[in-house]
Structures are given as C-alpha cells and as structure tokens.
Amino acid sequence: MSAARAAPVGPATALPAPVGPAPVWDMINGFTSYWALSAALDLGLFDALAEDTRTGLDSARLADAIGAAGPGPVTVLAETLVALGLLDADEDRFRLAPVAERYLVSTSPASMAALVRYSPGPPEGWPGLAETVRTGAPDPAVSAGLTELYPALVRATGPTQTGVATAVAAELERRGWWPEQPTVVDLGCGSGAWLTALLRTRPNGTVVAVDRPDVLPIAERAATDAGLRERMIPVVGDYLDVPLPVAAADVVVLAHVLRAEPASRASQLLARAVELAGADGVVVVVDYPRPDPARARRDGEDDEDRGAVCGAARHELLLSLTMLASTAGLGVTDADLRAWAGAAGAELVDSFEPVPRQHVSLIRSRSRSRTPEALS
C-alpha cells in the first residue's frame, strides 16, 4: 500500500501586522504636550531663552533664570520641548527654535503666548464634553465661564488677526474693492485688530465697530493706541439687530464669530452683513471651516476619501469641537456659507488663506459677483 503524498506547500501567507497603539498614545500625550507648553509659558522659559538666542542656556542657568528649584526638573521640561520642536538643543544648552522665537516669546509682534492659555476656552468645558454631546448644549456654568474669559481671549487674538487683516486689505486693494475712503462695519470687532489694521491702510476711512459692552473698550483702546480712535464709531449691542449709524458699507467683517453661533443666528448675521454690503460691497468672513458634509459635494466634484478629508481638516475640526465644548455653535462649513449667502442673494466668490490656517471667504451680491472685475 503506497503512502499518501503530501500536499505541496506554497509560499507562506503573511499575516497583517497587528494595529499598534501609537494613535492612542498620541492622544494621551497631546494632553501632556499642552501642559508642558503651558508650564513653560507660566515659568517664562521662552522669554528667558530669548535673552540669549545665540548661545542658549544650560539647565542650571535656565533654572536660575526662571526661578526653578534646580536643573533636574528643568532638564525634563526643556528636553520635552525639544522633542515637541519648540526648543533646539546643543550638547547641554537649550535655545529657542524658530517657531518659539516668533510665536511664544511674549514680546514678539506675532506672539501667541496668551492665545495658548485662552484658546481652549473654559477648562471645565472639557471634562463635561460627553454630557454636552448627550444634551446638545454645554452646562450653563461653562457658558458663564466663557463670558468671564472672553475679554482676555479677544485680547489674545490680536497679534494673529492683525497679520490676517493686513493681508486681506492688500487682497481687496488688488481686486479693486478697497476704496480710498471706505466705510467698514466690523460685526464682533473683538480685540480691534481688524479695524486698526484696515484703517492703517486707509486712514481716511471709517469703521463702525460692534461688540458687547465688556469687549468694546478693548477695541477702543487698540484704536486709541494706534492713533485712529477718531475714525472708529463704537456701537454696543447684539450684532444681529443693534441699530447702526450707517445703512451701507464697502466692507463688512465677520471675523471668527459665525462658528460660535447656532446656525439660525449665524445665517441671520450673514444675511445682515450681505444687506449692509449691498450691490457694491464685500463681506469678509474669517473662520475655520470644518469639512462640508458628504451630501454637500457639488456637481462635477470627484468622490472623496472622507478619512483624508477629515485628516486634512484636523485643525478646523478641533476648533469646531472647542466651540461645541463651551458655546452654542458647532463650527461652520463652506457649504453653510454658500447656502446662507445664496439665501441672502449673494455668492461665495473666493476663499483663500492669507496666512497659514487662517481661512478667509469673500462674499458679494450675486449680480456683482458675476462681473469680470469680481473674477480677477
């Protein structure tokens, strides 16, 4: 009786590698990274290193400069900041990385040091996020905390928004939409960065600045410091319906306000801006639009990889989540802007980023947006 022949053995099939935990660790370490940065700011670490940008400081000298007990804890913190790309290290010395020198030194014109502290909103909003998602609204105590925090937050946005507004003024000039003596309405003027930056390029212009009573004095101070107070008309009240001293404007600014409002108020606010801009003006919307819903894709657009779309919009989605944690808003999408503008008789004619991660949309009357100069 012959023995059974063994079946031929083919090449081994490679099993897929198990999924690693790195993305989960990245989330956990994101919390740690934020507090490492926050601690460095509280200690004045970046400012201390700014005093000697050429040679840097070793841990012992850095500890002395920031009033720390000794070099050991300072080394751990500083090396963590090296790993995060905020410091450079050369043997035993630490120096500011370019990004920290520009954005984390308190005296830098582009400093985001204060924004680091206030941009996340009220700290108590984050442990309560699950309940906010369940109920659809943040706890009233969180909203009250945001009201208290808001004046400091708007001050912190000033350096970043000054750069954005200056770049937008240049773009409006290029398009022929920036007259020599413009009337501007800034609905939610916040820090006053927009009104002062715009008036610096058009000192004979006029800005109607609208905001809450606890915020408007900040914008007035900014205009006074810039020597432009006489060109500013302050208006206290709800930007949705407060009476204004002008019936029309060349430029209407909605800078970082729509995403914090529920859709009903946001759409009404954009409609008011469109009405003020009229046939010849332009509405400037500055925000962080999260991805359009898949169903909002327009004709002719290719099928999308939704994962890639969300991955590319990580910054915008996280800021939308920040709105969810402490406001009545859910962020805003370009589809929202197109729909709201269309309902008001206008169109979103262009979108661009004058500086990285600062998204600007230009909205004009539907009749004007189709003229040749509007497409330039």
Side-chain angles (χ1 to χ4, degrees):
M1 184 174 181
S2 61
R5 299 177 63 183
V9 178
T13 302
L15 296 175
V19 175
V24 178
W25 276 115
D26 288 343
M27 298 302 102
I28 296 170
N29 291 334
F31 180 87
T32 313
S33 299
Y34 175 81
W35 287 109
L37 173 56
S38 182
L41 289 169
D42 289 344
L43 290 164
L45 184 146
F46 300 110
D47 287 351
L49 289 172
E51 296 296 318
D52 190 347
T53 58
R54 187 175 63 85
T55 61
L57 300 175
D58 61 23
S59 295
R61 290 179 61 201
L62 184 54
D64 288 341
I66 64 176
V74 172
T75 298
V76 175
L77 177 59
E79 289 185 341
T80 299
L81 297 171
V82 171
L84 294 173
L86 301 178
L87 298 183
D88 293 328
D90 183 11
E91 295 183 355
D92 64 342
R93 291 177 176 268
F94 300 101
R95 296 188 309 277
L96 294 172
V99 66
E101 186 171 2
R102 179 167 174 78
Y103 295 111
L104 295 175
V105 174
S106 63
T107 56
S108 168
S111 179
M112 296 175 66
L115 198 59
V116 170
R117 295 185 173 94
Y118 300 120
S119 182
E124 61 270 21
W126 293 106
L129 181 59
E131 188 62 22
T132 298
V133 172
R134 288 191 189 100
T135 63
D139 187 281
V142 173
S143 299
L146 179 61
T147 299
E148 184 178 344
L149 177 75
Y150 198 68
L153 173 59
V154 298
R155 285 191 189 93
T157 66
T160 300
Q161 292 309 302
T162 295
V164 181
T166 302
V168 168
E171 179 62 18
L172 295 178
E173 172 86 43
R174 186 187 72 81
R175 293 170 182 258
W177 299 349
W178 193 220
E180 286 301 316
Q181 294 183 320
T183 297
V184 179
V185 175
D186 190 349
L187 296 171
C189 62
S191 68
W194 274 83
L195 71 90
T196 54
L198 294 179
L199 284 174
R200 282 192 183 102
T201 73
R202 290 291 190 268
N204 293 320
T206 300
V207 176
V208 178
V210 183
D211 218 314
R212 300 167 3 179
D214 58 334
V215 173
L216 196 58
I218 300 170
E220 291 185 90
R221 170 53 60 185
T224 299
D225 291 346
L228 297 166
R229 178 61 183 81
E230 65 179 13
R231 311 308 307 174
M232 171 192 177
I233 303 174
V235 176
V236 175
D238 184 345
Y239 46 36
L240 197 60
D241 54 21
V242 66
L244 300 178
V246 298
D250 299 294
V251 176
V252 184
V253 178
L254 296 174
H256 299 289
V257 294
L258 292 179
R259 72 176 182 276
E261 296 284 3
S264 58
R265 278 180 55 88
S267 61
Q268 292 176 61
L269 183 57
L270 184 57
R272 185 179 201 191
V274 168
E275 182 180 9
L276 283 165
D280 298 321
V282 58
V283 179
V284 177
V285 176
V286 192
D287 226 307
Y288 302 109
R290 56 187 175 86
D292 287 348
R295 65 178 182 277
R297 290 200 307 272
R298 290 175 287 181
D299 292 342
E301 291 183 340
D302 295 334
D303 290 341
E304 63 184 3
D305 179 340
R306 196 62 181 172
V309 169
C310 292
R314 176 174 176 168
H315 177 67
E316 293 77 9
L317 284 165
L318 288 171
L319 286 170
S320 295
L321 194 66
T322 301
M323 296 300 99
L324 172 62
S326 58
T327 77
L330 297 175
V332 66
T333 69
D334 283 337
D336 291 332
L337 296 180
R338 290 192 297 267
W340 299 339
E347 285 185 316
L348 195 166
V349 297
D350 201 5
S351 297
F352 61 100
E353 287 192 0
V355 300
R357 294 192 174 184
Q358 295 291 320
H359 188 89
V360 174
S361 298
L362 303 178
I363 295 172
R364 299 198 86 193
S365 164
R366 189 174 286 116
S367 59
R368 292 295 293 176
S369 66
R370 297 185 184 280
T371 62
E373 55 93 16
L375 303 175
S376 61

